Amino acid sequence: MQSECTQRVAIYARVSTTNHGQDVSMQTRELREFAEARGWTVAGEYIDEGVRGAKDSRPELNRLMADAHKRRFDIVCVWRFDRFARSVSHLLRALETFKALGIDFVSFSEQMDTSTPAGKMVFTVLGAVAELERSLIVERVRAGLRNAKAKGKRLGRPRVILDARRIATLRVQGLGWKKIARQLGCGISTVLRVAQAVPKLGKGILERNGPSPSPDIRNT
């Protein structure tokens, strides 16, 4: 990286709402002062006002990530973790992106700087926490499936019970295979399979309406 006196920093700030006296200027003021004290040049300010942190996609955050890929700054500085990321996994994904791009990340309130040994240690810990979080989610899902299975619940998509005579009736009324499938809430191939599974009925439908199409044909 460049020498510290020539570092370009991007400042990111966010407030969830502007209706209750929340003002982003406190964040930006302290971040500007911090950047000046470190001898950094502010390359850009990215401010999301009235945007909830629960969203991964925010206008200014998206712009910041796009500019990061264009190498428009060397450091991203935020007032606090929760102003930037909605979760540990979200923060970790962003930090991994910055690391790959050679960009350092600094949190003013937590005093975390990924360019320092302590900051790198925090990055490693966050990675371990995110991995634990993923493992716990997987285990909870598996436990839920085991519990449902033990109670005799059927897993997967519910089976669609089709009446071949209903299919025949709709076909006689002039409906195409695609429309019949849409009306019955299933795929065309399923409708054809049921119609052809009943020899007499299937033959009657096909003879009355012409040969059935391939399941891949989407006729109306």
mmCIF file of all heavy atoms in Angstrom, residues 11 25 27-38 40 42 45 47:
data_model
loop_
_atom_site.group_PDB
_atom_site.id
_atom_site.type_symbol
_atom_site.label_atom_id
_atom_site.label_comp_id
_atom_site.label_asym_id
_atom_site.label_seq_id
_atom_site.Cartn_x
_atom_site.Cartn_y
_atom_site.Cartn_z
ATOM 1 N N ILE A 11 -15.492 7.433 3.284
ATOM 2 C CA ILE A 11 -16.264 7.527 4.515
ATOM 3 C C ILE A 11 -17.680 7.031 4.258
ATOM 4 O O ILE A 11 -18.345 7.459 3.312
ATOM 5 C CB ILE A 11 -16.302 8.985 5.016
ATOM 6 C CG1 ILE A 11 -14.919 9.379 5.567
ATOM 7 C CG2 ILE A 11 -17.376 9.170 6.073
ATOM 8 C CD1 ILE A 11 -14.832 10.841 5.955
ATOM 9 N N SER A 25 -24.712 13.898 10.375
ATOM 10 C CA SER A 25 -23.585 14.832 10.415
ATOM 11 C C SER A 25 -22.619 14.529 11.557
ATOM 12 O O SER A 25 -21.413 14.798 11.444
ATOM 13 C CB SER A 25 -24.082 16.282 10.525
ATOM 14 O OG SER A 25 -24.784 16.478 11.742
ATOM 15 N N GLN A 27 -21.718 11.575 12.608
ATOM 16 C CA GLN A 27 -20.828 10.513 12.118
ATOM 17 C C GLN A 27 -19.802 11.072 11.136
ATOM 18 O O GLN A 27 -18.605 10.802 11.272
ATOM 19 C CB GLN A 27 -21.659 9.423 11.436
ATOM 20 C CG GLN A 27 -22.641 8.703 12.347
ATOM 21 C CD GLN A 27 -23.466 7.674 11.585
ATOM 22 O OE1 GLN A 27 -22.962 6.994 10.698
ATOM 23 N NE2 GLN A 27 -24.745 7.558 11.927
ATOM 24 N N THR A 28 -20.280 11.818 10.162
ATOM 25 C CA THR A 28 -19.371 12.324 9.125
ATOM 26 C C THR A 28 -18.341 13.304 9.703
ATOM 27 O O THR A 28 -17.179 13.298 9.294
ATOM 28 C CB THR A 28 -20.156 13.007 7.996
ATOM 29 O OG1 THR A 28 -21.002 14.022 8.544
ATOM 30 C CG2 THR A 28 -21.012 11.996 7.246
ATOM 31 N N ARG A 29 -18.759 14.126 10.664
ATOM 32 C CA ARG A 29 -17.828 15.078 11.269
ATOM 33 C C ARG A 29 -16.696 14.356 11.974
ATOM 34 O O ARG A 29 -15.519 14.678 11.786
ATOM 35 C CB ARG A 29 -18.568 15.992 12.248
ATOM 36 C CG ARG A 29 -17.660 17.047 12.875
ATOM 37 C CD ARG A 29 -18.389 17.947 13.849
ATOM 38 N NE ARG A 29 -18.873 17.211 15.015
ATOM 39 C CZ ARG A 29 -20.155 16.918 15.226
ATOM 40 N NH1 ARG A 29 -21.088 17.272 14.357
ATOM 41 N NH2 ARG A 29 -20.523 16.244 16.312
ATOM 42 N N GLU A 30 -17.049 13.352 12.789
ATOM 43 C CA GLU A 30 -16.016 12.625 13.529
ATOM 44 C C GLU A 30 -15.125 11.812 12.589
ATOM 45 O O GLU A 30 -13.914 11.686 12.825
ATOM 46 C CB GLU A 30 -16.672 11.714 14.575
ATOM 47 C CG GLU A 30 -17.341 12.497 15.697
ATOM 48 C CD GLU A 30 -17.777 11.604 16.847
ATOM 49 O OE1 GLU A 30 -17.853 10.375 16.664
ATOM 50 O OE2 GLU A 30 -18.020 12.150 17.938
ATOM 51 N N LEU A 31 -15.696 11.295 11.530
ATOM 52 C CA LEU A 31 -14.894 10.524 10.577
ATOM 53 C C LEU A 31 -13.947 11.430 9.794
ATOM 54 O O LEU A 31 -12.802 11.050 9.522
ATOM 55 C CB LEU A 31 -15.811 9.747 9.627
ATOM 56 C CG LEU A 31 -16.611 8.601 10.265
ATOM 57 C CD1 LEU A 31 -17.556 7.978 9.246
ATOM 58 C CD2 LEU A 31 -15.668 7.540 10.837
ATOM 59 N N ARG A 32 -14.419 12.616 9.434
ATOM 60 C CA ARG A 32 -13.536 13.566 8.728
ATOM 61 C C ARG A 32 -12.381 13.972 9.628
ATOM 62 O O ARG A 32 -11.227 14.043 9.182
ATOM 63 C CB ARG A 32 -14.330 14.803 8.311
ATOM 64 C CG ARG A 32 -15.293 14.587 7.164
ATOM 65 C CD ARG A 32 -15.822 15.912 6.633
ATOM 66 N NE ARG A 32 -17.111 15.737 5.981
ATOM 67 C CZ ARG A 32 -18.284 16.123 6.479
ATOM 68 N NH1 ARG A 32 -18.321 16.717 7.678
ATOM 69 N NH2 ARG A 32 -19.404 15.930 5.810
ATOM 70 N N GLU A 33 -12.697 14.263 10.898
ATOM 71 C CA GLU A 33 -11.636 14.669 11.850
ATOM 72 C C GLU A 33 -10.637 13.532 12.047
ATOM 73 O O GLU A 33 -9.430 13.764 12.137
ATOM 74 C CB GLU A 33 -12.272 15.072 13.182
ATOM 75 C CG GLU A 33 -13.085 16.357 13.110
ATOM 76 C CD GLU A 33 -13.835 16.644 14.406
ATOM 77 O OE1 GLU A 33 -13.830 15.756 15.306
ATOM 78 O OE2 GLU A 33 -14.451 17.722 14.516
ATOM 79 N N PHE A 34 -11.145 12.314 12.127
ATOM 80 C CA PHE A 34 -10.286 11.141 12.299
ATOM 81 C C PHE A 34 -9.372 10.963 11.094
ATOM 82 O O PHE A 34 -8.168 10.713 11.233
ATOM 83 C CB PHE A 34 -11.160 9.896 12.492
ATOM 84 C CG PHE A 34 -10.385 8.623 12.683
ATOM 85 C CD1 PHE A 34 -9.678 8.390 13.846
ATOM 86 C CD2 PHE A 34 -10.366 7.660 11.683
ATOM 87 C CE1 PHE A 34 -8.958 7.212 14.028
ATOM 88 C CE2 PHE A 34 -9.664 6.472 11.858
ATOM 89 C CZ PHE A 34 -8.953 6.246 13.025
ATOM 90 N N ALA A 35 -9.940 11.118 9.892
ATOM 91 C CA ALA A 35 -9.151 10.982 8.666
ATOM 92 C C ALA A 35 -8.072 12.057 8.590
ATOM 93 O O ALA A 35 -6.918 11.777 8.230
ATOM 94 C CB ALA A 35 -10.068 11.068 7.449
ATOM 95 N N GLU A 36 -8.431 13.274 8.970
ATOM 96 C CA GLU A 36 -7.465 14.373 8.941
ATOM 97 C C GLU A 36 -6.326 14.117 9.926
ATOM 98 O O GLU A 36 -5.153 14.359 9.619
ATOM 99 C CB GLU A 36 -8.170 15.691 9.282
ATOM 100 C CG GLU A 36 -7.260 16.909 9.193
ATOM 101 C CD GLU A 36 -7.988 18.206 9.517
ATOM 102 O OE1 GLU A 36 -9.214 18.166 9.759
ATOM 103 O OE2 GLU A 36 -7.319 19.263 9.542
ATOM 104 N N ALA A 37 -6.666 13.601 11.117
ATOM 105 C CA ALA A 37 -5.644 13.313 12.125
ATOM 106 C C ALA A 37 -4.693 12.219 11.655
ATOM 107 O O ALA A 37 -3.513 12.217 12.021
ATOM 108 C CB ALA A 37 -6.316 12.897 13.437
ATOM 109 N N ARG A 38 -5.174 11.301 10.839
ATOM 110 C CA ARG A 38 -4.334 10.220 10.321
ATOM 111 C C ARG A 38 -3.591 10.611 9.044
ATOM 112 O O ARG A 38 -2.781 9.841 8.524
ATOM 113 C CB ARG A 38 -5.201 8.979 10.046
ATOM 114 C CG ARG A 38 -5.870 8.381 11.273
ATOM 115 C CD ARG A 38 -4.888 7.665 12.170
ATOM 116 N NE ARG A 38 -4.363 6.459 11.553
ATOM 117 C CZ ARG A 38 -4.885 5.249 11.709
ATOM 118 N NH1 ARG A 38 -5.977 5.098 12.459
ATOM 119 N NH2 ARG A 38 -4.329 4.197 11.143
ATOM 120 N N TRP A 40 -5.034 11.217 6.109
ATOM 121 C CA TRP A 40 -5.661 10.619 4.933
ATOM 122 C C TRP A 40 -6.395 11.678 4.121
ATOM 123 O O TRP A 40 -6.858 12.685 4.657
ATOM 124 C CB TRP A 40 -6.673 9.550 5.345
ATOM 125 C CG TRP A 40 -6.091 8.382 6.076
ATOM 126 C CD1 TRP A 40 -4.802 7.932 6.034
ATOM 127 C CD2 TRP A 40 -6.784 7.514 6.983
ATOM 128 N NE1 TRP A 40 -4.641 6.843 6.835
ATOM 129 C CE2 TRP A 40 -5.847 6.547 7.429
ATOM 130 C CE3 TRP A 40 -8.090 7.432 7.441
ATOM 131 C CZ2 TRP A 40 -6.176 5.539 8.320
ATOM 132 C CZ3 TRP A 40 -8.427 6.427 8.327
ATOM 133 C CH2 TRP A 40 -7.487 5.486 8.761
ATOM 134 N N VAL A 42 -9.738 12.399 2.003
ATOM 135 C CA VAL A 42 -11.096 11.869 1.824
ATOM 136 C C VAL A 42 -11.413 11.817 0.332
ATOM 137 O O VAL A 42 -11.561 12.848 -0.325
ATOM 138 C CB VAL A 42 -12.134 12.727 2.566
ATOM 139 C CG1 VAL A 42 -13.546 12.207 2.306
ATOM 140 C CG2 VAL A 42 -11.843 12.740 4.066
ATOM 141 N N GLU A 45 -17.513 10.495 0.133
ATOM 142 C CA GLU A 45 -18.406 10.248 1.258
ATOM 143 C C GLU A 45 -19.661 9.541 0.742
ATOM 144 O O GLU A 45 -20.263 9.963 -0.240
ATOM 145 C CB GLU A 45 -18.786 11.555 1.954
ATOM 146 C CG GLU A 45 -17.593 12.234 2.621
ATOM 147 C CD GLU A 45 -17.996 13.458 3.430
ATOM 148 O OE1 GLU A 45 -19.218 13.765 3.480
ATOM 149 O OE2 GLU A 45 -17.100 14.110 4.000
ATOM 150 N N ILE A 47 -23.280 8.265 1.987
ATOM 151 C CA ILE A 47 -24.200 8.482 3.102
ATOM 152 C C ILE A 47 -25.591 7.967 2.759
ATOM 153 O O ILE A 47 -26.231 8.433 1.814
ATOM 154 C CB ILE A 47 -24.272 9.982 3.464
ATOM 155 C CG1 ILE A 47 -22.869 10.489 3.835
ATOM 156 C CG2 ILE A 47 -25.250 10.211 4.601
ATOM 157 C CD1 ILE A 47 -22.784 11.994 3.987
#
